[in-house]
Amino acid sequence: MADIIQLLPDHVANQIAAGEVVQRPASVVKELLENAVDAGAATIQLIVKDGGKTLIQVVDDGIGMSPTDARLSFERHATSKIRSAEDLFKLHTKGFRGEALASIAAIAHVEMHTRPKDEEVGTYLKMEGSTVVSQEVAVTPIGTSIAVKNLFYNIPARRNFLKSNQVEFRHITDEFHRVALAHPGINFYFFHNGSELFHLTAHSLKKRIVQVFGHKTDEKLVPVREETQVVTIEGFICKPSFAKKSRGEQFFFVNDRFIKSPYLHHAILSAFEGLIKPEAHPGYFLYLTVDPTSIDINIHPTKTEIKFDDEHTLYAILRSAVKHSLGQFHLTPSLDFEKDQNLETPYAYQHKEAHLPGVSVDPGFNPFAETTTRSATGRLYKKGSPEGWENLYMGLESKASREESFSSVHYESETISGSIFPHAEVQEENDTTTFQLRRKYIVTTIRSGMLIIDQSRAHQRVLYEKFLRSMTLKETLSQQLLFPISLSFSKGELTILKDMKDHLHALGFIFGEEQEEQLLIKGLPPMIGEKEAEEVLDQLISECSMESSSTNFSQSDMLAKALSKSLSVKTGDLLDNVSQLALVNDLFACKETLLSPFNKPIFITLSESEIDKKFN
Ligand code: ADP
Ligand code: MG
């Protein structure tokens, strides 16, 4: 048989490697920023156009490259950072594979200007699809500038696979945050489509975090510091009271490299246990310094996972360091007998009258009267009026329900169990009966049996369709605020909101003029209260920044989903009868009644024959 195996040509091999290294514009940003950091730059500029699809450029004032190095840097496995396999275990640089530039040059148009410090002139190099198009002597500042244009120009399938500019831009911002937070001692600039988004000057770590995430972050941060033989931990955690419902700012850095570690994340969750609601996520910025020989970062090409020699010890140290900080800064509840109890009353309850417990007695009650229950007749309960013996329990009953609504106020927002359903009264005469099961399901009867409806999913569906309708029909309803509220957001968050401005407007949000890190809100959709506005917008932002799956086909769809999720009644919310009925009716007025916006079944039916069968 003839030999059939061949070595692949370089440009093909590079293109294959590129598939691993470059998934989207943000991967290019990461590689270029890390190269600039490795080059010892003091100032790094990132310039991006159209979510990185048109241009990604990184300019640094680092060590630069000689003409030969400039040429070699685009070869595969060409690196100045390691020389032998042992070096892999004492890495002090971000890069080490020598694959990034070769991969990028295989799938984009690349231009490089570079000049080392001690040279008069520098080098200009232009690459297209792994081949050098031109190389010239050039007058250029000290350092390196690499511009990557038309990413995936030669792989249409990949290019079409890219998300909208906004989504790609968000991924780029995430990468930028990670590198900028890992290196507070470097100046960073970030321009998108010609406007300056970030101008971060070299500062302490705390200042850098505040620069990136906005002034409001300042009051949230609590320092963490722990030094042991195995690891040094530095950084900040966010106070428990600021924990968000959505995963927000959670950053681990190991030896100045951003990493993801579900295991270490769990260590922090367990330190916060009992201090935040189970569904809330703590924020943290933690920097671990370990002996480079004790980690292996050579696991994944995109290098956000690493392997530790002794994960269990790290877990324990991290957990206790975070606990220690939480305790030291009095963030954990403590028993204090000196405290004035009056000050402890939650604000909302301060002016409420306390109810005296009372026992109500029905003077007309006579257990031996003819009309009441008679077991002898075989009937246990008297139908109709609730007078009679049942009245005995009246006082108790109302007390119980008071307690119930009190606890629901505690866990979920109070407004929800009220009159969120506008046409509720109309349906009251309807003779369908409903009841709520474990504050989770609404049970109702239909001709053929019964329905068990998941209250939260049903409401999500109702809201989702309602929001979609108001966005497409632009039938805006808005409540003007007497006093506009001003909310603070970071620059990144503001750009996300700005992207969605038209849709938000169609939903009833009215924004005032913009100020730095402030958003003036003049009007809100009728169903969002002033107090909820910030939380709703926060959740919306984080929902958008996490959105990367292909299941959402449009921005309005994504927005409607996110809003319906955050505004719907939840499991645990007590609904009165009127609201239950209204919800059922609203659900069956929807176009789709079977599935929630997140494709989960909304209700199940139990037919009479099924019930009959169970009794056999
Ligand atoms: P790696 O970073 O893994 O070494 P790259 O393909 O990213 O691989 O870069 C190849 C080489 O090019 C680097 O090792 C470095 O010597 C050089 N290089 C890349 N970017 C820069 C830069 N901004 N300044 C100076 N040298 C650079
Ligand atoms: Mg590199």
Side-chain angles (χ1 to χ4, degrees):
M1 175 180 162
D3 301 333
I4 49 171
I5 298 179
Q6 287 185 0
L7 271 181
L8 287 174
D10 265 358
H11 68 275
V12 180
N14 283 340
Q15 226 181 60
I16 294 170
E20 283 276 300
V21 182
V22 185
Q23 276 126 9
R24 53 178 3 131
S27 343
V28 175
V29 169
K30 172 177 190 275
E31 294 298 335
L32 296 185
L33 287 177
E34 290 188 346
N35 279 349
V37 170
D38 284 345
T43 299
I44 300 175
Q45 295 182 55
L46 170 63
I47 300 155
V48 173
K49 283 204 180 119
D50 303 326
K53 293 178 189 168
T54 317
L55 172 76
I56 298 163
Q57 184 174 14
V58 171
V59 184
D60 69 56
D61 56 357
I63 55 171
M65 282 176 265
S66 70
T68 324
D69 278 354
R71 176 70 198 83
L72 256 181
S73 69
F74 288 103
E75 291 295 324
R76 206 141 57 97
H77 308 310
T79 179
S80 56
K81 297 170 193 174
I82 57 170
R83 296 197 177 273
S84 63
E86 289 89 72
D87 291 347
L88 267 181
F89 298 97
K90 42 185 187 212
L91 277 176
H92 293 286
T93 54
K94 302 270 116 64
F96 59 90
R97 294 166 185 266
E99 275 187 335
L101 288 187
S103 302
I104 294 168
I107 49 162
H109 297 141
V110 181
E111 287 177 64
M112 174 199 272
H113 288 87
T114 184
R115 169 156 80 98
K117 194 164 79 221
D118 41 8
E119 299 290 333
E120 291 286 299
V121 288
T123 310
Y124 166 77
L125 198 83
K126 190 173 177 185
M127 306 278 299
E128 251 168 49
S130 291
T131 48
V132 184
V133 183
S134 82
Q135 176 161 8
E136 293 160 21
V137 174
V139 178
T140 174
I142 293 171
T144 307
S145 154
I146 299 182
V148 177
K149 294 177 184 165
N150 310 323
L151 191 67
F152 298 130
Y153 77 99
N154 52 357
I155 315 180
R158 274 276 174 137
R159 182 140 183 118
N160 295 336
F161 185 71
L162 291 179
K163 295 278 158 55
S164 69
N165 290 359
Q166 285 103 334
V167 173
E168 294 302 338
F169 167 72
R170 261 177 248 136
H171 286 280
I172 290 176
T173 313
D174 283 346
E175 289 298 346
F176 176 80
H177 284 168
R178 292 168 184 176
V179 180
L181 287 173
H183 302 279
I186 299 177
N187 302 309
F188 283 94
Y189 294 82
F190 181 3
F191 300 88
H192 187 230
N193 292 341
S195 58
E196 184 186 85
L197 280 184
F198 287 98
H199 173 169
L200 311 175
T201 43
H203 258 309
S204 67
L205 174 59
K206 186 169 184 190
K207 281 248 175 72
R208 172 59 48 98
I209 297 174
V210 173
Q211 281 176 329
V212 171
F213 292 107
H215 299 307
K216 63 173 175 179
T217 328
D218 204 5
E219 52 165 339
K220 297 184 192 173
L221 301 176
V222 178
V224 178
R225 205 186 147 72
E226 184 72 67
E227 219 176 316
T228 67
Q229 287 191 324
V230 194
V231 58
T232 305
I233 301 170
E234 274 175 295
F236 298 89
I237 48 174
C238 295
K239 293 178 189 164
S241 51
F242 291 103
K244 289 187 183 176
K245 270 200 189 153
S246 45
R247 258 159 201 274
E249 288 116 33
Q250 300 177 333
F251 292 90
F252 270 124
F253 299 90
V254 173
N255 296 358
D256 293 338
R257 186 190 294 276
F258 171 83
I259 62 141
K260 285 184 185 155
S261 166
Y263 185 66
L264 294 186
H265 173 75
H266 189 266
I268 297 182
L269 284 188
S270 78
F272 270 89
E273 204 175 273
L275 295 177
I276 58 178
K277 288 185 201 164
E279 74 275 9
H281 298 277
Y284 53 84
F285 306 85
L286 292 170
Y287 295 70
L288 281 57
T289 311
V290 296
D291 180 357
T293 55
S294 74
I295 50 172
D296 179 6
I297 53 172
N298 195 13
I299 314 185
H300 196 268
T302 51
K303 295 171 283 187
T304 49
E305 285 153 34
I306 65 177
K307 226 176 139 76
F308 297 97
D309 273 359
D310 191 357
E311 247 182 355
H312 298 307
T313 315
L314 270 184
Y315 182 101
I317 298 174
L318 191 61
R319 179 164 178 259
S320 84
V322 172
K323 275 202 152 175
H324 181 77
S325 289
L326 285 168
Q328 199 177 8
F329 292 91
H330 303 297
L331 301 170
T332 49
S334 55
L335 277 181
D336 186 350
F337 297 104
E338 315 264 288
K339 249 186 205 164
D340 184 352
Q341 289 302 317
N342 293 327
L343 297 177
E344 295 288 293
T345 318
Y347 190 75
Y349 291 92
Q350 265 176 28
H351 302 293
K352 285 200 178 163
E353 297 244 326
H355 290 279
L356 276 176
V359 180
S360 58
V361 181
D362 174 18
F365 170 64
N366 176 3
F368 305 103
E370 277 300 311
T371 48
T372 38
T373 321
R374 181 69 27 116
S375 52
T377 62
R379 262 174 58 200
L380 278 175
Y381 305 109
K382 187 170 78 98
K383 266 198 192 157
S385 78
E387 291 155 31
W389 64 272
E390 285 161 282
N391 278 6
L392 245 194
Y393 296 96
M394 240 165 58
L396 294 174
E397 198 179 84
S398 68
K399 182 165 167 267
S401 69
R402 215 171 27 240
E403 262 171 18
E404 271 197 340
S405 57
F406 180 78
S407 62
S408 84
V409 166
H410 253 260
Y411 297 114
E412 293 291 346
S413 60
E414 179 173 30
T415 46
I416 288 183
S417 48
S419 52
I420 36 171
F421 303 103
H423 43 280
E425 289 97 303
V426 188
Q427 269 118 15
E428 219 169 355
E429 312 122 0
N430 202 326
D431 57 359
T432 327
T433 48
T434 60
F435 71 90
Q436 204 184 7
L437 190 67
R438 307 200 61 84
R439 296 191 179 184
K440 187 173 183 188
Y441 301 108
I442 297 172
V443 183
T444 182
T445 49
I446 46 174
R447 206 171 304 148
S448 61
M450 66 196 253
L451 280 183
I452 303 173
I453 303 171
D454 182 309
Q455 63 184 46
S456 177
R457 291 178 190 176
H459 197 207
Q460 281 174 0
R461 166 53 65 185
V462 171
L463 291 176
Y464 171 74
E465 294 201 0
K466 183 174 157 199
F467 292 139
L468 272 188
R469 219 169 23 241
S470 44
M471 275 186 280
T472 38
L473 300 180
K474 305 239 181 325
E475 43 160 42
T476 312
L477 270 181
S478 179
Q479 63 189 31
Q480 298 267 345
L481 301 179
L482 201 51
F483 303 103
I485 42 178
S486 170
L487 301 177
S488 43
F489 290 101
S490 71
K491 282 186 191 158
E493 292 170 336
L494 280 178
T495 23
I496 294 180
L497 289 177
K498 236 192 282 174
D499 280 348
M500 300 186 291
K501 209 166 156 190
D502 290 345
H503 288 316
L504 287 173
H505 190 82
L507 287 169
F509 286 93
I510 305 175
F511 299 123
E513 64 283 4
E514 262 174 53
Q515 286 140 345
E516 180 151 327
E517 296 191 5
Q518 293 287 330
L519 185 67
L520 200 65
I521 299 184
K522 291 181 165 171
L524 286 170
M527 63 173 312
I528 300 180
E530 269 179 60
K531 292 195 193 98
E532 293 165 300
E534 178 161 23
E535 193 183 331
V536 169
L537 288 175
D538 264 345
Q539 280 188 25
L540 207 62
I541 291 169
S542 66
E543 203 75 24
C544 294
S545 32
M546 279 191 302
E547 184 256 343
S548 57
S549 64
S550 52
T551 46
N552 297 321
F553 32 84
S554 73
Q555 197 183 42
S556 49
D557 184 66
M558 190 264 307
L559 202 63
K561 274 188 188 149
L563 276 179
S564 70
K565 190 165 150 194
S566 71
L567 291 170
S568 63
V569 287
K570 308 285 183 308
T571 297
D573 285 344
L574 188 67
L575 294 182
D576 58 21
N577 261 355
V578 181
S579 303
Q580 293 170 23
L581 252 179
L583 178 55
V584 174
N585 286 318
D586 283 349
L587 172 67
F588 290 103
C590 283
K591 283 190 196 144
E592 156 73 63
T593 53
L594 297 177
L595 294 175
S596 82
F598 304 93
N599 280 330
K600 299 264 175 53
I602 293 177
F603 61 82
I604 54 166
T605 50
L606 209 55
S607 69
E608 199 184 337
S609 57
E610 276 172 284
I611 300 174
D612 286 344
K613 236 184 260 163
K614 289 197 190 294
F615 281 101
N616 281 329

